[in-house]
Amino acid sequence: MALYYNLAKVYALSDNDPEFVNQILTLFVNEIPEDLAEIKEGIKKMDHKHAYAYAHKVKPSLDLLGLKMAFEEILQIEAWTKSEGEKKEIKETFKSMKNQVEDAIKELRKDFDL
């Protein structure tokens, strides 16, 4: 049983097509870690536009895979980029979101043999 993700929206979107579900999950597992690295880089360099671009790109995937808390935190990261906040204000939020996504990815790799 999935602890870190919920695929209800994925199955609804795919009409329960296992091949399509697998494609979505493969894309998530392969691309999201790179996008998270880009968000981290934007935060580190205080490049709010860069961090926003990647946070905005990641946001729909977090929602689609039912990562509710990570989705809420990516919204906070987006808000932080818009207000051009200080690095210390967002570091823990990013770390928490990243850990949740990494847990989901590990579980998806195991559950779907990706």
Side-chain angles (χ1 to χ4, degrees):
M1 187 179 128
L3 299 174
Y4 298 108
Y5 62 87
N6 180 332
L7 298 182
K9 288 182 182 179
V10 174
Y11 283 112
L13 177 70
S14 70
D15 274 342
N16 293 321
D17 176 349
E19 192 174 308
F20 187 63
V21 169
N22 205 332
Q23 287 176 339
I24 290 171
L25 299 180
T26 300
L27 275 171
F28 181 83
V29 164
N30 292 332
E31 291 188 12
I32 295 298
E34 294 170 22
D35 295 336
L36 294 181
E38 292 293 337
I39 296 169
K40 183 177 183 176
E41 190 66 20
I43 291 170
K44 183 177 163 190
K45 292 183 175 178
M46 294 292 290
D47 184 343
H48 295 93
K49 286 184 175 145
H50 186 84
Y52 174 81
Y54 282 92
H56 192 69
K57 179 182 175 196
V58 166
K59 183 172 63 173
S61 298
L62 300 182
D63 184 43
L64 184 63
L65 271 79
L67 283 87
K68 287 186 167 105
M69 189 66 194
F71 180 75
E72 292 300 320
E73 289 172 336
I74 203 78
L75 294 176
Q76 291 174 29
I77 292 168
E78 275 190 337
W80 173 83
T81 63
K82 290 177 183 173
S83 69
E84 298 191 357
E86 295 297 318
K87 199 182 314 182
K88 66 180 184 243
E89 296 169 353
I90 205 66
K91 280 173 71 173
E92 289 304 313
T93 303
F94 173 77
K95 186 177 171 185
S96 171
M97 185 268 305
K98 182 175 179 272
N99 288 340
Q100 291 171 60
V101 172
E102 287 172 347
D103 287 343
I105 287 173
K106 280 182 207 160
E107 193 173 34
L108 286 164
R109 284 185 197 272
K110 187 173 142 243
D111 293 351
F112 290 88
D113 201 24
L114 300 173

